[in-house]
Amino acid sequence: MTKEQWETAEQNLLQSSYCIVKLQADGYTLSLQKQRYKMQLFIAVYVDGEIRGEWLTEDCEIRRKFFQKHKHSILPRKEQEKLKRKRKAFREAVLANSVYYSYSPYWSSFRSLKRHLCQNCTDITLYEEAEA
C-alpha cells in the first residue's frame, strides 16, 4: 500500500465509530473496526469476518500475522526488584522462566498495527471502506 492509502485508511477508521476499513493481506480479508471498552478505544481486527478463540490459544499463521503479542511476568514487581541484587546469570535465568505471552486481536494504536502488518505480511492492499 502507498503512504496515501495508509493515511486514507487511518482517517476513515478514526473519524467514525461505525466505519469499517477492509484490507487484503496475504489472501485474508481483514476488517478493521474501532470499538470501545469502558473508556478506552481499540481497533479490532477481524480475519475473514470473525475472531476465533482457537487463534488466541493455538500457534497459527493468523495469530502471528494479525494479532498483538503481549508479554507478562509471573513475578510481582517487588520480587523483580529483589532479583536485581542477585547474580546476573541467576537473575536472567529466573526472569526467563517467569515470562509468558498472550495474544489479542485488539490494537490500541493504528501506527503499531500498521508496523506489525508491514513486517509480517508481504502483500497488503486496500479492499474497501464500508459503513456498518
Side-chain angles (χ1 to χ4, degrees):
M1 280 179 49
T2 64
K3 185 177 181 179
E4 292 79 26
Q5 288 175 324
W6 279 115
E7 289 174 359
T8 302
E10 182 177 11
Q11 290 301 322
N12 290 338
L13 185 64
L14 298 180
Q15 76 182 1
S16 172
S17 298
Y18 303 105
C19 186
I20 297 172
V21 175
K22 291 192 177 186
L23 304 174
Q24 283 289 121
D26 293 343
Y28 297 102
T29 302
L30 301 179
S31 301
L32 309 178
Q33 183 180 19
K34 186 168 64 171
Q35 295 180 351
R36 194 180 92 189
Y37 178 71
K38 295 189 180 179
M39 296 299 287
Q40 185 85 17
L41 289 174
F42 293 101
I43 299 169
V45 178
Y46 293 90
V47 181
D48 295 330
E50 59 187 5
I51 298 173
R52 292 187 184 172
E54 63 193 46
W55 294 338
L56 299 173
T57 57
E58 299 172 5
D59 187 27
C60 61
E61 178 186 23
I62 291 175
R63 180 174 88 169
R64 288 188 301 271
K65 284 187 177 221
F66 308 122
F67 290 173
Q68 189 173 22
K69 185 177 183 179
H70 298 282
K71 182 178 179 180
H72 305 280
S73 178
I74 296 171
L75 296 176
R77 191 64 68 190
K78 197 172 192 179
E79 294 296 321
Q80 291 176 12
E81 293 296 324
K82 286 182 184 177
L83 281 175
K84 287 185 178 178
R85 292 181 238 141
K86 304 291 182 184
R87 287 189 351 258
K88 183 177 180 180
F90 176 75
R91 177 178 65 235
E92 288 179 356
V94 170
L95 290 176
N97 290 329
S98 66
V99 171
Y100 69 97
Y101 297 95
S102 67
Y103 293 84
S104 171
Y106 303 108
W107 295 79
S108 58
S109 166
F110 184 82
R111 184 176 293 168
S112 61
L113 172 61
K114 175 186 165 186
R115 184 177 347 108
H116 182 80
L117 289 176
C118 289
Q119 288 175 351
N120 293 298
C121 298
T122 57
D123 181 37
I124 305 170
T125 56
L126 187 61
Y127 188 68
E128 67 178 278
E129 296 89 22
E131 288 291 323

